[in-house]
Amino acid sequence: MSDYAIEAEDLGKRFYLQTRSSKTFPRRVLYWFWPRVDEKPIWALRHVDLAVKRGEALGVIGPNGAGKTTLLQILAGLLAPTEGRVRVHGRITSFMGLGSAVYGDLTVEDNLFLLGTIFGMTRAMIKKKIGEIVEFGDFGKYRYAVFDQLSAGYQMRVIASAALHAPIDILVMDEMISAGDAIISERFAARMIELRRRGTTIVVASHSLNLIGEYCSRVIELDRGRLVNAAKPSTAAKAYLARHGVE
Amino acid sequence: MRLYFDRLFQMARCEWLVREQSNLFGFLWTMLQPLLYFVVLFGLFTKWMGQKTPNYGAFLVIGIVHYNFFQNTTSYVLTTLRRRTTLLTNFPLPRDLFIFSTGLSGLVSHLLELLVMLAFVVFLGTPFHATWFLLPLIVALEIIMVLGIFSPMLAVWGAKFPDFERIWQLLTGLGMFLTPVFYPVSIIAPDKRALLRFNPVAMIIEMSRRILIEGRGLGIRHFAAVFILFCALAAASYAYFKKHEPHLADYVLS
């Protein structure tokens, strides 16, 4: 078994900035003969090499548009790289865009079952844990309510509670779960510490240098799609701030 | 494998509940479309077709229900990846889950519609035949056709070409006239009838009428040949989908 949970070599990802008309069927047919005539290529990532050891917690920092989310999406197998390759040794769980998995018209319980299976739990596991999940998020009184009727805070409690009970080998996370609620934030922090103690591999992108410093053993910095620095959290944070003119 | 089927069940269940608005009345609204088609087509054509086709009412409702399943489910599957772009780009789920869960939710509605169709057929005076028990075999062929042959390809094209939805609407609209939904094959000129042999929906509809109205069995050799052909086409369609699978997120984002 490899010592590394994730290995990425010479990763590159190209997108095309488009006009609205680029999306039409006739325009796409035109591209077969005259490739991408009116679309500007943009490299979101270029020549990125990365190796994440099993049990390591890697932080990814960088300004907006640096390529953090693109990198995480490629590592999670959500996007195919334009160049290079990725090898993942283990099951990846993604905590990105958590709110996108729910159906607002259905009940909290319906969504818990859906979220649970998406996060990697079987129905039998969810049935066994559902009481625990509901108690963890303290939303028992809303269990059979329509999801959209809950406040934003309670919606995040439901999602975060389901996510934090999932079995996780390798976790890829874009921004820490922001519950806007001190109780869930504290429980989330405790769960993250537990995951680290169990040797779960974590890759997290965040704008919060404090949180990155708290949870991560190593940090990489991206800037305009390139890997510009890899260091311990405190060193990486200082270099990042200095690079962007912040004291 | 267990997790895959649990995910399939949950996603299909949620899609169905949202489509049918989580209650029986939602499903009744769904039945309204084939019912209105029946009323209009029966009213327009019964005097002419009724002479050529005994029990035209049962004949018509069978055609409408089967074509409705094909048209609605393929149209829904075609847009599934774009409708769930954020789920597709944020969660590492097997991509075929999206198409099969959508197809499955359409199938559940279709099975309920088939029950209503059978009740209607009986109400219109069609006698019960032992061949009715062959209906599950035809439904199995239908599932292979819609979920196996058409859905994987349409999901890829729907992801690649956002306006393909309109093209498919046009094709299925025209397809209704190129399929013996409301007319018997016998009124088509003999030299043009051969074209209908290549229409898989026409095959399903004709087989269904054969067992439900005429009380005739399915020729074993003919059924086996169609079954093998459908399975081969479904395998090819799925292979096409798997080839494009790594790029589906790029298609919907671009």
Side-chain angles (χ1 to χ4, degrees):
Chain A
M1 196 160 76
S2 174
D3 286 339
Y4 293 97
I6 301 173
E7 294 170 282
E9 293 164 20
D10 198 30
L11 278 185
K13 182 63 186 175
R14 182 181 57 211
F15 292 107
Y16 289 91
L17 290 179
Q18 297 178 342
T19 62
R20 273 180 297 173
S21 63
S22 314
K23 289 184 176 239
T24 61
F25 184 72
R27 182 69 72 171
R28 293 301 171 104
V29 170
L30 178 69
Y31 288 155
W32 286 340
F33 304 102
W34 198 4
R36 306 285 185 177
V37 59
D38 61 352
E39 290 182 328
K40 190 180 160 193
I42 185 165
W43 286 90
L45 284 178
R46 204 86 203 260
H47 304 307
V48 173
D49 293 292
L50 189 63
V52 187
K53 283 190 179 163
R54 289 189 188 281
E56 186 179 7
L58 178 77
V60 182
I61 60 175
N64 291 334
K68 302 186 299 297
T69 301
T70 304
L71 175 64
L72 263 56
Q73 285 177 320
I74 292 174
L75 296 182
L78 301 168
L79 288 178
T82 310
E83 292 175 345
R85 61 180 186 158
V86 179
R87 278 190 298 266
V88 176
H89 309 285
R91 181 178 54 190
I92 283 214
T93 301
S94 156
F95 282 6
M96 293 194 283
L98 291 175
S100 63
V102 296
Y103 284 88
D105 292 336
L106 300 184
T107 64
V108 167
E109 177 153 299
D110 287 332
N111 278 295
L112 278 177
F113 272 90
L114 177 66
L115 286 167
T117 55
I118 286 174
F119 289 136
M121 291 188 269
T122 61
R123 279 171 53 81
M125 281 167 72
I126 299 165
K127 278 183 190 168
K128 208 170 153 186
K129 286 190 181 186
I130 195 161
E132 197 184 316
I133 294 171
V134 171
E135 203 182 306
F136 182 91
D138 193 25
F139 52 83
K141 59 187 175 208
Y142 301 122
R143 184 167 167 171
Y144 303 105
V146 171
F147 191 84
D148 268 351
Q149 289 187 320
L150 272 59
S151 66
Y154 262 101
Q155 287 181 2
M156 185 45 79
R157 278 193 182 213
V158 171
I159 296 167
S161 301
L164 293 171
H165 282 79
I168 299 171
D169 292 338
I170 303 170
L171 175 61
V172 170
M173 190 159 55
D174 197 356
E175 289 298 342
M176 302 288 180
I177 291 178
S178 164
D181 181 314
I183 298 164
I184 279 290
S185 294
E186 235 180 84
R187 290 178 183 176
F188 170 75
R191 177 79 167 128
M192 289 296 290
I193 292 166
E194 189 196 328
L195 285 174
R196 286 234 49 210
R197 206 180 302 131
R198 278 199 210 165
T200 303
T201 308
I202 300 172
V203 180
V204 56
S206 180
H207 286 293
S208 171
L209 297 176
N210 289 336
L211 281 173
I212 290 276
E214 203 175 321
Y215 293 114
C216 301
S217 52
R218 187 166 65 105
V219 174
I220 61 168
E221 182 189 340
L222 295 179
D223 195 358
R224 280 175 280 196
R226 305 262 173 169
L227 202 159
V228 297
N229 192 18
K232 285 204 162 82
S234 51
T235 318
K238 275 187 200 148
Y240 172 66
L241 292 170
R243 205 188 312 279
H244 294 280
V246 177
E247 292 299 323
Chain B
M1 186 69 95
R2 183 64 197 261
L3 182 61
Y4 180 91
F5 284 109
D6 280 351
R7 281 171 167 165
L8 181 66
F9 173 78
Q10 285 302 135
M11 286 172 74
R13 181 175 176 272
C14 289
E15 288 252 348
W16 190 83
L17 285 173
V18 166
R19 271 172 70 179
E20 309 298 351
Q21 295 159 6
S22 302
N23 58 53
L24 180 63
F25 292 106
F27 173 67
L28 290 176
W29 277 113
T30 307
M31 282 302 301
L32 197 59
Q33 183 197 7
L35 184 64
L36 285 175
Y37 267 96
F38 175 79
V39 166
V40 169
L41 291 171
F42 188 80
L44 283 174
F45 294 111
T46 189
K47 206 167 176 184
W48 173 31
M49 299 293 181
Q51 291 171 8
K52 301 172 188 303
T53 315
N55 202 348
Y56 181 66
F59 176 94
L60 181 60
V61 78
I62 290 169
I64 288 172
V65 167
H66 285 294
Y67 195 81
N68 199 46
F69 170 58
F70 167 75
Q71 185 177 34
N72 287 350
T73 303
T74 53
S75 299
Y76 206 54
V77 166
L78 190 149
T79 59
T80 194
L81 293 174
R82 285 199 171 265
R83 275 186 294 108
R84 305 310 308 263
T85 296
T86 45
L87 193 64
L88 184 72
T89 55
N90 285 314
F91 296 97
L93 297 168
R95 278 22 186 151
D96 53 17
L97 268 180
F98 291 84
I99 53 172
F100 292 142
S101 61
T102 302
L104 198 57
S105 72
L107 176 64
V108 169
S109 295
H110 180 55
L111 293 175
L112 293 170
E113 284 171 14
L114 283 173
L115 288 175
V116 175
M117 178 193 81
L118 285 173
F120 219 66
V121 163
V122 169
F123 176 74
L124 290 170
T126 310
F128 172 79
H129 301 289
T131 50
W132 283 30
F133 291 109
L134 295 173
L135 187 60
L137 290 178
I138 293 172
V139 174
L141 264 189
E142 215 172 5
I143 291 169
I144 296 170
M145 178 186 71
V146 173
L147 268 65
I149 299 174
F150 284 94
S151 292
M153 279 190 309
L154 289 173
V156 173
W157 292 343
K160 275 184 110 171
F161 312 114
D163 55 344
F164 191 77
E165 186 186 355
R166 292 192 191 185
I167 296 170
W168 188 246
Q169 264 176 0
L170 187 65
L171 289 175
T172 52
L174 288 171
M176 193 173 168
F177 296 94
L178 296 171
T179 308
V181 173
F182 59 90
Y183 58 83
V185 176
S186 56
I187 68 166
I188 303 295
D191 56 335
K192 292 190 173 66
R193 267 183 228 168
L195 289 173
L196 292 180
R197 281 213 198 106
F198 297 104
N199 183 337
V201 189
M203 287 185 216
I204 298 288
I205 292 172
E206 288 296 294
M207 279 193 224
S208 198
R209 285 169 177 156
R210 188 182 163 113
I211 63 161
L212 293 176
I213 299 176
E214 297 171 31
R216 294 196 294 148
L218 302 167
I220 292 176
R221 271 202 281 184
H222 176 245
F223 182 83
V226 172
F227 181 81
I228 290 168
L229 175 66
F230 276 23
C231 287
L233 290 172
S237 180
Y238 189 70
Y240 176 79
F241 176 84
K242 291 303 272 184
K243 185 184 161 197
H244 287 267
E245 190 179 25
H247 308 288
L248 290 174
D250 284 307
Y251 294 161
V252 298
L253 289 173
S254 65

